[in-house]
Amino acid sequence: ETEERGRGASRAPASSLPGAQWLTDKLLLNRHAAARLLPHQGRQRILFMVFGGSSMGDFLFHWVAHVRRLGLDSHVLGAMDEALFRRCDEAGVGAALLKTPPTPTREDVAGIETSWRYYRMDPKAFTQKGVLKVDFFEEFVRAGFDVLASDLDVTWVRDPRPWVTGQAAGMQLLAHADVLVSTDIANLALDTARSERWRYAEVNTGVLFLRNTNGTRALLAAWKRKMLDELTAGRLRKDSWGFNDQTYFNMIVRALGLQGVQSQGVWRQWLAERGLADGEVDASREGDRSVYRSRSALPLPSGGSAHITLTALPALEFSGGHIYFVQHEQLARATPPVALHTTYQFSDTPAYTWGKRQRLREAGLWRGDGDEYFDAARSGGFLRLVGPLVEPGSLEGVKVREGVAAVRIEGTKGYTDRLMNNVVDPTALPEDNPMRRAALSSFECAQAHGGGIVAHGLKLNPLAAQGCDPYLHSCRQM
């Protein structure tokens, strides 16, 4: 089921950092990562991984703070650059650095060039980053680890291991899947145990579990090949909105022709492929979450091919931002998420993702602020807005540009210009039109935004409004 593993620390150190060691012939660990990971190499241990660069260092260290809080010791930060690799070493954080020389087929990935410090807003650079991320995945799997990877804007609230190992209630089949992935489903009624709705929605690689199997290797190879093809063909540009590494993962998954393993004619074949005896796994338990096998096999880098078994993680536990921040489903059910991905947010700029940080601050989850942020003696106290921000009936006949009420504006210049110039009367829109609520809410949010400006001027900390979903026009001064 597995290919030959990496040979561990087989090369002379290529870094001046003391204690740095090679995990594979391409992957260098700093001393903290080497101490945690090398003793467990090849033992199918779950490795928690995040990937990023120096420009988002506070989010990366926020991620580390939460995995440490949960006692998830086998974790590593995949560093995009030498500066972050060294910073992690100084901070006592385990990190890995990929040493892959440029080749003719990878010349478009060898150096990521963008004027944006926040890569997410540059589709070409973000896809280049995606190729490097998959390089990390492949090396850790080759070294013998099961990898539980998450984006840097994912907060681990609870220990996820019972879900990926099949020990959580209703999750027994997940223990036999090659790949588990989160989704962007926002309606929990569509996310039942046997629902196949996720196959037609967007799967979100923000949380991705990669078991050390040939199925995983085949999927990673296909994913990377697709991204490299797009980059080398020159089809990705800075204005190629809607295209990134996750886009291409979805393309690969949808082309697999997935079938539920409980389907007639699939079950016994799947059991044989997994090395399971008939009766070892019960397929008749109605409450168990389904897994899916690909009809077609994907080629392996070393030759041959493999079928992939894949399924979506439950959306309540592995939650996106709409379910958590807007619907408050976990609060209503008294069930905290396992992982919280700060999707459905606002205020991204080329420099930083201000809205994601603000979401986490308001939820009391952010671990990236120093004590000085909360120093009342320095700040002078807090500002609180009390009572209705907009009086009922005061908006009759008031008009607003459609773009002002949008959570996010991206696309071609012609499209964004039309969005910004289109004027609407929100009170005249039908009740079921989502733009009505967004436009009306924008007036309340403007008040909250104004309060934030006043707070900054008076050197106060603004207290977030409770029980609403504010769209803060700018979070940079919050």
Side-chain angles (χ1 to χ4, degrees), residues 160-207:
R161 289 174 293 190
W163 280 262
V164 300
T165 59
Q167 297 174 30
M171 302 294 150
Q172 64 152 348
L173 292 178
L174 272 61
H176 307 290
D178 299 309
V179 176
L180 305 172
V181 63
S182 58
T183 72
D184 280 337
I185 287 176
N187 184 349
L188 292 179
L190 303 177
D191 190 48
T192 58
R194 296 291 174 95
S195 170
E196 298 189 1
R197 176 68 179 178
W198 68 270
R199 294 171 55 191
Y200 310 101
E202 180 89 352
V203 298
N204 191 311
T205 54
V207 177

Side-chain angles (χ1 to χ4, degrees), residues 389-439:
L389 298 179
V390 178
E391 292 293 336
S394 64
L395 297 179
E396 199 69 38
V398 174
K399 295 186 178 181
V400 62
R401 286 180 314 197
E402 186 177 2
V404 171
V407 171
R408 188 172 187 156
I409 300 174
E410 59 185 29
T412 64
K413 187 176 186 303
Y415 171 77
T416 58
D417 285 349
R418 286 196 301 274
L419 196 64
M420 288 304 299
N421 293 328
N422 186 33
V423 176
V424 296
D425 177 357
T427 62
L429 294 173
E431 288 286 346
D432 60 353
N433 188 326
M435 183 52 68
R436 175 187 172 91
R437 181 185 179 278

Side-chain angles (χ1 to χ4, degrees), residues 203-232:
V203 298
N204 191 311
T205 54
V207 177
L208 187 63
F209 180 70
L210 304 163
R211 209 176 302 278
N212 179 19
T213 63
N214 278 342
T216 290
R217 290 182 182 82
L219 185 62
L220 289 176
W223 186 14
K224 183 165 70 174
R225 186 166 54 249
K226 178 65 175 174
M227 289 189 285
L228 285 171
D229 287 348
E230 294 296 313
L231 288 166
T232 54

Side-chain angles (χ1 to χ4, degrees), residues 8-11 13 17-24 27-31 34-35 38 85:
S10 58
R11 291 171 57 182
L17 290 181
Q21 297 187 56
W22 293 97
L23 178 67
T24 71
L27 203 59
L28 184 67
L29 305 178
N30 70 7
R31 54 184 166 170
L38 288 178
F85 188 62

Side-chain angles (χ1 to χ4, degrees), residues 182-439:
S182 58
T183 72
D184 280 337
I185 287 176
N187 184 349
L188 292 179
L190 303 177
D191 190 48
T192 58
R194 296 291 174 95
S195 170
E196 298 189 1
R197 176 68 179 178
W198 68 270
R199 294 171 55 191
Y200 310 101
E202 180 89 352
V203 298
N204 191 311
T205 54
V207 177
L208 187 63
F209 180 70
L210 304 163
R211 209 176 302 278
N212 179 19
T213 63
N214 278 342
T216 290
R217 290 182 182 82
L219 185 62
L220 289 176
W223 186 14
K224 183 165 70 174
R225 186 166 54 249
K226 178 65 175 174
M227 289 189 285
L228 285 171
D229 287 348
E230 294 296 313
L231 288 166
T232 54
R235 286 188 285 267
L236 274 176
R237 303 179 307 277
K238 289 186 178 182
D239 61 349
S240 299
W241 296 104
F243 290 88
N244 51 52
D245 60 328
Q246 182 174 292
T247 309
Y248 301 118
F249 185 90
N250 274 272
M251 290 179 180
I252 297 296
V253 168
R254 287 171 184 166
L256 289 174
L258 295 173
Q259 297 174 291
V261 298
Q262 298 98 327
S263 304
Q264 188 173 3
V266 178
W267 179 248
R268 292 185 185 279
Q269 184 180 10
W270 179 76
L271 287 176
E273 287 175 356
R274 313 309 293 183
L276 298 169
D278 196 7
E280 189 174 344
V281 180
D282 184 0
S284 64
R285 300 196 320 197
E286 286 298 322
D288 281 352
R289 197 168 188 86
S290 297
V291 298
Y292 299 82
R293 174 187 180 272
S294 64
R295 286 187 176 90
S296 55
L298 293 176
L300 284 162
S302 60
S305 61
H307 289 270
I308 293 95
T309 301
L310 180 146
T311 199
L313 291 159
L316 179 66
E317 287 83 5
F318 296 83
S319 178
H322 198 281
I323 290 173
Y324 185 84
F325 296 116
V326 182
Q327 300 178 46
H328 303 288
E329 286 284 2
Q330 289 85 0
L331 182 64
R333 301 172 188 230
T335 304
V338 174
L340 171 59
H341 193 177
T342 48
T343 57
Y344 198 80
Q345 45 76 37
F346 38 77
S347 290
D348 286 349
T349 73
Y352 190 73
T353 174
W354 308 98
K356 290 179 184 285
R357 184 182 68 180
Q358 189 66 17
R359 286 283 204 199
L360 293 169
R361 277 178 174 167
E362 291 174 4
L365 293 170
W366 178 246
R367 297 293 180 270
D369 290 322
D371 292 340
E372 66 277 3
Y373 181 77
F374 302 97
D375 185 353
R378 179 194 66 82
S379 68
F382 294 89
L383 175 73
R384 182 184 183 189
L385 302 178
V386 181
L389 298 179
V390 178
E391 292 293 336
S394 64
L395 297 179
E396 199 69 38
V398 174
K399 295 186 178 181
V400 62
R401 286 180 314 197
E402 186 177 2
V404 171
V407 171
R408 188 172 187 156
I409 300 174
E410 59 185 29
T412 64
K413 187 176 186 303
Y415 171 77
T416 58
D417 285 349
R418 286 196 301 274
L419 196 64
M420 288 304 299
N421 293 328
N422 186 33
V423 176
V424 296
D425 177 357
T427 62
L429 294 173
E431 288 286 346
D432 60 353
N433 188 326
M435 183 52 68
R436 175 187 172 91
R437 181 185 179 278

